Amino acid sequence: MTDADITTATADWHAWQESWDRQQEWYLPDREERFRIMLDMVEALVGTAPRVLDLACGTGSITARLLARFPDATSTGVDLDPALLAIAEGTFAGDERVRLVTADLKDPDWPTELPYDSYDAVLTATALHWLYREPLADLYGRVAGLVRAGGVFMNADHMIDETTPRINAAERAQRHARMDQAKRDGILDWAEWWQLAAKDPVLAGPTARRYDIYGEHADGDMPSARWHARVLREKGFGEARPVWCSPSDTLLLAVK
């Protein structure tokens, strides 16, 4: 099924998931590799039946890969986006391993909405750059309170090292040239994907609500991996460092 066909298959959640993946891969061609490493480290540090918090879960991309690899895992997905949560709800309907929670991560009381007080692993990807440094540091403190002793937190996201401007400029130019070519080949970008969602009979309402919440796109920061590691240690994690990176993206792991 192509992206254009989705408008005629309004309840085909698998098709929406595939379309979301393709749109995200336009920005992140190494997306599946970082998910693989993320789950490798989950297995190495907390085993193959973890209780996971999928933080800012979106459509449930991490949860889907977690359960495919570790059938005995359980996942709590938390997000505020009504449209992406609608896709997640449709995807995991009837799966008792998955709980979905609507909550605002900027609200200091959001952990009270969760079904559990602690988790083996808290995982997130391409989401927390929507926050500025101060609320992100506050969020890290709350995450530290949710991760059990010996548990892990992983954040895969854009983490920009401002001390390397020439490298950054070259990487950005090369990445955008590749993205431009993919766009000419018909890949949907962020704005076009949301335009498609807004036309869908099932997702139109949730999409309108998400624009009331976020607008076109939320603003935030992309501090360096060193910043993330330092703040996570300050907030209660014993160790923190990158375990994978691409030219534009970093997977940072912290152990409680």
Side-chain angles (χ1 to χ4, degrees):
M1 178 176 290
T2 67
D3 292 315
D5 294 329
I6 293 175
T7 55
T8 63
T10 59
D12 190 340
W13 301 117
H14 177 72
W16 277 110
Q17 288 283 3
E18 286 190 343
S19 179
W20 177 258
D21 284 344
R22 287 194 297 272
Q23 179 258 125
Q24 289 288 287
E25 287 163 0
W26 182 62
Y27 299 94
L28 300 163
D30 300 311
R31 186 168 179 257
E32 292 301 326
E33 175 69 6
R34 67 178 187 165
F35 284 145
R36 183 183 69 80
I37 298 299
M38 178 181 282
L39 296 181
D40 282 351
M41 300 311 297
V42 167
E43 182 174 4
L45 286 158
V46 297
T48 59
R51 177 189 292 170
V52 170
L53 176 61
D54 186 348
L55 193 68
C57 65
T59 67
S61 298
I62 291 174
T63 293
R65 288 155 180 80
L66 171 79
L67 298 180
R69 178 160 168 176
F70 306 129
D72 293 328
T74 59
S75 180
T76 303
V78 59
D79 207 304
L80 186 61
D81 189 310
L84 298 185
L85 278 173
I87 295 173
E89 288 164 358
T91 299
F92 300 108
D95 192 330
E96 296 182 353
R97 298 170 298 176
V98 180
R99 300 277 293 275
L100 295 170
V101 174
T102 300
D104 185 350
L105 297 182
K106 294 180 181 178
D107 181 346
D109 294 327
W110 70 265
T112 65
E113 302 295 325
L114 302 176
Y116 304 107
D117 294 330
S118 68
Y119 289 84
D120 301 308
V122 178
L123 309 177
T124 188
T126 325
L128 300 190
H129 66 268
W130 286 38
L131 298 176
Y132 288 105
R133 282 171 171 80
E134 184 174 347
L136 179 55
D138 290 342
L139 176 65
Y140 279 170
R142 295 183 188 97
V143 168
L146 290 168
V147 176
R148 67 161 173 84
V152 302
F153 168 71
M154 278 182 268
N155 179 14
D157 211 341
H158 311 300
M159 300 182 187
I160 297 175
D161 188 338
E162 295 179 353
T163 68
T164 59
R166 288 182 295 171
I167 295 172
N168 298 348
E171 181 279 323
R172 179 179 173 82
Q174 192 274 341
R175 174 163 45 90
H176 278 263
R178 184 184 62 240
M179 291 168 67
D180 289 344
Q181 181 57 55
K183 194 77 166 60
R184 289 191 290 270
D185 292 339
I187 293 294
L188 293 177
D189 64 17
W190 171 269
E192 290 168 331
W193 191 91
W194 282 108
Q195 289 168 8
L196 192 65
K199 297 175 182 177
D200 182 88
V202 174
L203 289 178
T207 298
R209 291 195 298 275
R210 70 91 54 196
Y211 274 99
D212 289 339
I213 296 169
Y214 296 111
E216 288 296 325
H217 198 284
D219 294 325
D221 285 335
M222 299 183 194
S224 69
R226 288 189 297 276
W227 182 93
H228 288 271
R230 174 180 60 79
V231 172
L232 285 164
R233 288 191 294 267
E234 290 172 353
K235 295 298 182 179
F237 287 92
E239 301 177 11
R241 72 166 177 86
V243 292
W244 175 90
C245 68
S246 72
S248 63
D249 217 46
T250 296
L251 172 60
L252 195 132
L253 165 64
V255 180
K256 185 75 174 290

